[in-house]
Amino acid sequence: MSEVEVLCDELLRISTLIEPKLTDSMRDIAEKEEGRLEGLDYRLKGRASLVRKATSDFLEERTLFLESLSGKYNKQQKTMEEIVFLISDAIRYTIIFSTERYTLATKSCL
């Protein structure tokens, strides 16, 4: 197994542990603002998607690092571990609000 796969498996393990409490909190937030959670079957990003995203982010990071060597700017290259654990949508939610409540409810949830 590759490094990225091992790291993504760890991210999934952690995400799976915290997801139930996070989902309960998100459900409470949605209900407080008269909204509802939608697409809960897809709240955990799949392993293949995580690996693909991490690999893509790593290649982008490497390109930026190599460009920085030309003196355009100073950049430290992130490790694969840093890149994987910076993935911000390993757990993701969609809250649906009525048109009338959308703006106020969205601001309240942030």
Side-chain angles (χ1 to χ4, degrees):
M1 205 175 334
S2 70
E3 176 187 18
V4 67
E5 290 170 319
V6 170
L7 291 166
C8 287
D9 285 347
E10 180 64 8
L11 178 58
L12 270 175
R13 185 187 72 75
I14 293 166
S15 297
T16 301
L17 287 174
I18 65 173
E19 176 276 320
K21 283 191 173 195
L22 188 56
T23 298
D24 287 344
S25 294
M26 292 300 295
R27 188 174 283 117
D28 289 346
I29 291 167
E31 289 173 1
K32 176 181 165 231
E33 295 301 328
E34 301 173 27
R36 71 180 190 285
L37 291 176
E38 187 81 17
L40 285 175
D41 290 344
Y42 308 103
R43 65 189 171 272
L44 287 171
K45 186 171 268 205
R47 182 182 192 263
S49 293
L50 285 172
V51 169
R52 191 170 41 253
K53 179 166 180 50
T55 302
S56 173
D57 288 356
F58 183 79
L59 293 174
E60 182 180 328
E61 177 70 23
R62 182 182 169 109
T63 299
L64 291 173
F65 174 72
L66 292 174
E67 287 176 0
S68 77
L69 296 178
S70 68
K72 292 180 184 175
Y73 51 90
N74 185 13
K75 177 158 182 49
Q76 294 290 328
Q77 185 171 3
K78 291 184 181 113
T79 66
M80 181 60 82
E81 182 176 15
E82 290 171 315
I83 287 169
V84 167
F85 286 97
L86 285 171
I87 293 175
S88 61
D89 65 342
I91 306 174
R92 62 270 173 102
Y93 297 94
T94 300
I95 301 177
I96 304 296
F97 300 110
S98 68
T99 304
E100 300 80 28
R101 297 258 323 128
Y102 183 81
T103 301
L104 289 174
T106 300
K107 286 180 180 179
S108 177
C109 288
L110 300 175

